[in-house]
Amino acid sequence: MARVKAADGGIRALALDPLRNFKHETVAVAEWGGALVTVRALSAGDWVEYRRRAAELVSAARVEAGLSAHALELAEGEETPSEPQVEVNANVLYAFVLVRTLFDENQQRVFCDGDVDEVAEAFSPVHDRLSAKVFELSGVGLNEDPPDPVDAAGNA
């Protein structure tokens, strides 16, 4: 078995590298003067925080709409909830995704966690495209149904 030579910082640096251990891709952003940025897949901790923030947004939207904070369970035989669904501005969630996963040419995060509201305020089709790439790298298709695991495994 061949040995992998550790980079300048040794194994510790390799193990802690924010990009090396995740799927990532460098993207040229024409709208930003051709700037090269790197986006990476979400970490397990990012996913946990994303889900927490999503649940918080939905609860707040439900309360604002005059509904209970938590969705009702479906009654037996029902296919749709008995309460209306609420609209949530997902830009703040997608801004969170970019804040956690957007890196500059020096492999440093562009934003800190406190920048989520500012990024959400500036959210544009460019930001949307970059966050879609993050989800793609994370194995999530935003506009497609997930494949049937039986079909994907070839066990049909």
Side-chain angles (χ1 to χ4, degrees):
M1 177 188 281
R3 286 198 164 189
V4 177
K5 184 175 180 180
D8 291 338
I11 296 298
R12 178 179 169 76
L14 293 173
L16 297 176
D17 186 303
L19 294 175
R20 178 179 298 276
N21 299 305
F22 294 92
K23 287 183 181 178
H24 60 279
E25 188 171 313
T26 300
V27 178
V29 183
E31 296 88 343
W32 296 348
L36 293 177
V37 297
T38 300
V39 290
R40 71 156 171 80
L42 293 163
S43 70
D46 296 337
W47 275 116
V48 168
E49 182 63 11
Y50 176 86
R51 291 177 55 95
R52 186 194 70 73
R53 287 171 181 250
E56 193 175 85
L57 278 175
V58 170
S59 290
R62 290 183 57 75
V63 168
E64 189 174 307
L67 304 170
S68 68
H70 303 287
L72 295 177
E73 297 292 322
L74 291 178
E76 190 172 327
E78 275 190 328
E79 292 184 24
T80 57
S82 56
E83 287 191 44
Q85 292 189 1
V86 295
E87 293 217 13
V88 174
N89 180 355
N91 286 354
V92 71
L93 285 175
Y94 298 148
F96 165 76
V97 166
L98 279 183
V99 161
R100 287 283 178 101
T101 63
L102 188 66
F103 291 79
D104 65 18
E105 63 280 354
N106 297 315
Q107 296 187 348
Q108 300 297 311
R109 275 182 56 184
V110 174
F111 301 108
C112 66
D113 287 353
D115 293 329
V116 171
D117 290 338
E118 188 175 0
V119 174
E121 188 70 29
F123 209 79
S124 71
V126 175
H127 299 91
D128 191 51
R129 188 172 68 239
L130 291 170
S131 60
K133 177 56 75 176
V134 171
F135 284 112
E136 178 187 317
L137 291 168
S138 300
V140 177
L142 291 179
N143 294 322
E144 58 189 52
D145 292 328
D148 182 315
V150 174
D151 291 343
N155 297 330

